[in-house]
Amino acid sequence: VAADSRVKLFTRARRGAVRIEGLLKGCERLASEIMEDRCQGLGTVKALEELALEATRLSAGNVNGWYYLAMANYQLGFVRKGLKAIDRAVRLEPEADDLLAMKGNLLVSNSCFEEALRCYEDAYAINPEDGYYVMAGLRLYGKSGSGGELLPKGERPGSFKGI
């Protein structure tokens, strides 16, 4: 009897893993369409949100599900929801430069420029080969915050000094 219940548990777990894998493949396909500007309206973005949400429901520890959920919410303009999702992903994988960059993008949309800059700097420190982080961080250089300059004129952002 014990062997039968272990087999059933294994079979159920395997089905769940296959389902999550399928959901994430769907997310990857939809995200690719969005990033390459091949999507037709909001339907693609909403479909990405639904697949990612289901993936996170089935496996709360799946970083990719949270990343795709954050991406969908970012595209839909739901910045707070996106920040909640990306924070979950970053907690699971704090050294992932792409997660930090997505968090930076969401923070920019929320006008949290200094915090966004720190995310881009952290992403750059992890992966200095990716020029996007430098570009995104320097784009924030000198951007107005609430009535003043984000950084003093002539001063480069933290880890971007010397670039």
Side-chain angles (χ1 to χ4, degrees), residues 10 16-17 26 29 43 45 48 54 69 76-77 85 88 103 110 112 118 139 146 155 159:
F10 176 77
R29 181 183 51 77
V45 182
L48 173 62
E54 183 64 17
L69 186 58
L76 291 168
R88 292 283 299 261
K103 183 173 181 175
N110 207 31
C112 299
R118 280 191 295 278
R139 193 175 60 220
S146 55
E155 190 176 302
S159 60

Side-chain angles (χ1 to χ4, degrees), residues 57-136:
R57 282 185 187 139
L58 291 173
S59 176
N62 189 295
V63 173
N64 292 329
W66 292 111
Y67 174 79
Y68 288 128
L69 186 58
M71 176 190 274
N73 282 303
Y74 174 68
Q75 293 292 324
L76 291 168
F78 303 141
V79 178
R80 289 193 195 282
K81 281 181 160 182
L83 282 168
K84 285 181 181 180
I86 203 65
D87 281 341
R88 292 283 299 261
V90 170
R91 268 188 259 128
L92 292 167
E93 204 170 302
E95 296 297 315
D97 56 312
D98 58 335
L99 300 179
L100 292 168
M102 174 59 75
K103 183 173 181 175
N105 293 343
L106 284 156
L107 288 165
V108 167
S109 293
N110 207 31
S111 298
C112 299
F113 302 120
E114 289 185 45
E115 198 174 341
L117 184 59
R118 280 191 295 278
C119 287
Y120 295 134
E121 287 176 331
D122 291 347
Y124 174 74
I126 293 166
N127 182 6
E129 301 298 314
D130 194 329
Y132 174 80
Y133 308 139
V134 173
M135 179 200 69

Side-chain angles (χ1 to χ4, degrees), residues 139-157:
R139 193 175 60 220
L140 286 176
Y141 173 70
K143 193 173 190 98
S144 290
S146 55
E149 293 297 317
L150 177 63
L151 298 171
K153 292 231 181 264
E155 190 176 302
R156 287 236 169 145

Side-chain angles (χ1 to χ4, degrees), residues 6-24:
R6 278 187 294 219
V7 168
K8 286 179 184 177
L9 285 174
F10 176 77
T11 303
R12 241 184 266 139
R14 179 72 185 129
R15 276 192 215 129
V18 168
R19 174 129 169 82
I20 292 167
E21 186 178 318
L23 290 168
L24 292 175

